Amino acid sequence: TTRKTTIRTATTTAHDLTVINLACRAQFSISPKQTAMLPSLPLPTLRPGAWLRMRRRHARWKREHSCLLLVAALALISSPRVPTGVPCFGMPAARPPARPEPPNLAQQLLNWALESPLYTLLLVPQARRTMVQTAEANGIRWEAALGWIKSQATWDDDLLCQVSGDANYLQTIPTYYSKPFHAYETGNLNWEAAFEQELASRAVGARNFPAYGEAGEEVFRGAFEAALASLGATVPKDGLMVDFGCGTGTSTRRLAANFPDASSVVGIDMSPYFVAVGRKLLEEAPGADGPWVTEIRPDERIKLSVGDAASTGLPDGCASTVSLTMVVHELPPEAAREVCAEALRILKPGGQLWISEMDFTAPAYAKLRANPLLFSLIRATEPYLDDYADSSEALFEHLAGDAGFASVRIAAATGRHFALIATKGEAPDDVAKKEASGAMEDLRFDTSGNYALDDTHLNTWESKSQER
């Protein structure tokens, strides 16, 4: 399929124009202002000379261009014309179905293209560049902070062995955890991913709340905390808080700061690389104007440990709170259920499981997923995202049903995310009581079927708010 043919096939609907606009911006360096004119101008009026100059500038990417143009063409014929559950021409959004329609032949071909080595070599580095550009454009000192953390220790196998306590630990890690994640070929099992985890988190915050720039992450995480509070999140005095999938400890440190009466806050992560970096950050405790992207205050209650959240080894009924912040979408559905079962086991009666996550029933994510080309930009670095999108609603029902929690409450946290609290019963007979009264309360949508909060996220191709 030639470029001209692909562009001309995009003239059928506004939805198709959205797809080809992204392809044009990504592949030929056309500015958003220029591509914004595409729906209102006849496509043949585009100056051929401009296309040729841009193509010569990107000659070294010729093969990758062909691959992405094929993906764009497949996306045009595999995408639904009006995605269900997405606002269209000012009409309110109805709640979308839990599962999309089965993939057609074009969608299957698109999936094949996205999984090809050639496409991965192109898209994965681009995803990382987008994150770095977002950070730097919003005042987040990515490169400077990265250089600082690299200089703070001898990051080698001896340190890994010291942190994990087992020279053979990496051989015991579940297979699903070894897949490529977040533009890193070895996923979370490398130093680069550990160094950049908190930098990327700052950039994600800026993308979700672009009006706040560098402080976007504070607003983003604060939105989850506010939603959890509205659902009745509580931590008793001297309670133990456990943070599953803690990474380098960003979420763990926030839990400790927000709940000073907790006796201890234990972060557990499967990556010894992440735990090693997290411990070093706590040790160095850089200040607000220091070399790191956030201020880190030392807190003796915080302990970061290497381990599997599905099998922590903690005693039964020891914890008041278990938290999962942006972790479940990185797990296969069965592993997610195992992690929740472990949370139930270690919680005290009346204890709470908190889940903060992406919501694919939100119109913004439903629209994104309905467009295979746009969704591929995220899916390429998140191997279980499709499975998560298909299974998250079933997970809620599982928690409220046979998992054993006495009640489950869900609310919108942002225009694209939810917060959930699942409470363990006070006694075994609470399971029987909940079956009669109904255990799940879903507050994400209003009575008209509209999502409770507006979407503030940047468009896929943007790195900074145009309004700031």
Side-chain angles (χ1 to χ4, degrees):
T1 304
T2 65
R3 180 176 59 249
K4 181 186 291 185
T5 302
T6 304
I7 293 174
R8 284 181 175 171
T9 61
T11 61
T12 54
T13 67
H15 173 66
D16 290 342
L17 282 168
T18 299
V19 176
I20 204 64
N21 281 359
L22 179 66
C24 290
R25 292 173 191 172
Q27 294 304 299
F28 304 106
S29 300
I30 295 180
S31 69
K33 182 177 180 181
Q34 288 172 299
T35 50
M37 300 170 63
L38 281 175
S40 59
L41 289 176
L43 290 176
T45 63
L46 294 173
R47 297 174 59 187
W51 289 111
L52 293 175
R53 286 192 298 273
M54 293 171 187
R55 187 176 184 183
R56 283 196 295 267
R57 190 187 309 163
H58 292 78
R60 62 180 177 177
W61 297 103
K62 184 175 180 180
R63 291 184 180 180
E64 288 85 347
H65 285 168
S66 300
C67 182
L68 277 189
L69 288 171
L70 171 62
V71 171
L74 291 171
L76 292 175
I77 60 177
S78 65
S79 302
R81 292 296 180 238
V82 181
T84 304
V86 179
C88 184
F89 303 111
M91 298 174 63
R95 187 167 182 170
R99 292 177 179 269
E101 296 179 0
N104 55 28
L105 177 59
Q107 178 66 65
Q108 293 174 11
L109 291 173
L110 177 60
N111 291 340
W112 172 83
L114 296 179
E115 293 171 359
S116 69
L118 180 64
Y119 192 74
T120 301
L121 286 173
L122 171 68
L123 189 60
V124 169
Q126 179 57 42
R128 185 182 182 280
R129 282 194 295 271
T130 298
M131 195 64 70
V132 175
Q133 289 168 2
T134 297
E136 297 287 355
N138 287 279
I140 300 165
R141 306 181 306 276
W142 184 295
E143 297 297 343
L146 180 59
W148 175 78
I149 189 61
K150 285 183 175 180
S151 69
Q152 295 307 299
T154 302
W155 307 102
D156 57 15
D157 290 346
D158 289 340
L159 180 57
L160 284 182
C161 183
Q162 177 185 340
V163 169
S164 64
D166 182 358
N168 298 315
Y169 171 76
L170 293 178
Q171 280 68 53
T172 67
I173 288 176
T175 304
Y176 80 82
Y177 196 77
S178 301
K179 283 195 173 184
F181 272 97
H182 302 159
Y184 305 102
E185 187 62 29
T186 55
N188 294 331
L189 298 174
N190 61 85
W191 291 116
E192 204 69 21
F195 296 150
E196 296 183 338
Q197 192 247 322
E198 296 198 17
L199 311 182
S201 182
R202 298 293 286 180
V204 168
R207 294 193 68 80
N208 277 278
F209 287 92
Y212 294 87
E214 183 183 3
E217 185 189 22
E218 302 300 319
V219 181
F220 183 45
R221 291 183 180 272
F224 284 119
E225 292 159 1
L228 288 168
S230 74
L231 293 172
T234 60
V235 178
K237 185 176 177 60
D238 296 328
L240 166 64
M241 306 185 75
V242 182
D243 187 20
F244 283 176
C246 66
T248 57
T250 303
S251 52
T252 317
R253 298 192 303 264
R254 287 188 72 94
L255 289 173
N258 291 335
F259 297 96
D261 288 339
S263 61
S264 58
V265 185
V266 176
I268 298 175
D269 200 275
M270 203 177 293
S271 172
Y273 299 88
F274 280 56
V275 171
V277 171
R279 289 180 180 177
K280 173 56 68 173
L281 288 172
L282 283 170
E283 178 185 328
E284 297 298 326
D289 298 322
W292 195 234
V293 290
T294 56
E295 178 183 9
I296 297 179
R297 298 176 181 176
D299 190 327
E300 294 181 354
R301 296 175 302 148
I302 298 175
K303 178 183 178 183
L304 302 183
S305 302
V306 176
D308 186 350
S311 180
T312 63
L314 293 172
D316 292 353
C318 65
S320 300
T321 308
V322 174
S323 179
L324 282 160
T325 303
M326 299 298 287
V327 172
V328 178
H329 74 273
E330 297 184 356
L331 302 173
E334 186 56 38
R337 293 194 177 203
E338 291 173 358
V339 168
C340 291
E342 178 70 355
L344 181 68
R345 183 188 70 79
I346 68 172
L347 281 172
K348 295 179 178 181
Q352 296 177 334
L353 167 63
W354 301 349
I355 298 179
S356 302
E357 260 300 349
M358 305 163 73
D359 190 351
F360 277 93
T361 67
Y365 269 139
K367 181 179 180 180
L368 181 63
R369 195 180 184 212
N371 187 319
L373 182 59
L374 290 175
F375 189 58
S376 71
L377 300 177
I378 301 176
R379 187 165 57 129
T381 61
E382 296 281 1
Y384 303 110
L385 198 59
D386 255 340
D387 292 337
Y388 168 77
D390 286 343
S391 65
S392 56
E393 297 297 304
L395 177 63
F396 303 157
E397 295 171 3
H398 170 70
L399 294 176
D402 54 6
F405 287 94
S407 67
V408 174
R409 305 188 75 212
I410 315 170
T414 79
R416 297 188 177 203
H417 301 84
F418 70 82
L420 175 150
I421 293 181
T423 304
K424 185 173 181 177
E426 294 288 350
D429 60 356
D430 281 345
V431 175
K433 292 178 182 177
K434 69 161 185 175
E435 292 175 353
S437 60
M440 185 161 66
E441 183 180 8
D442 192 341
L443 306 173
R444 292 173 294 169
F445 293 82
D446 62 24
T447 55
S448 300
N450 297 311
Y451 205 70
L453 295 174
D454 293 332
D455 182 34
T456 61
H457 198 281
L458 285 175
N459 291 316
T460 307
W461 54 85
E462 294 179 320
S463 60
K464 184 178 180 180
S465 173
Q466 303 303 312
E467 298 178 0
R468 290 178 53 224

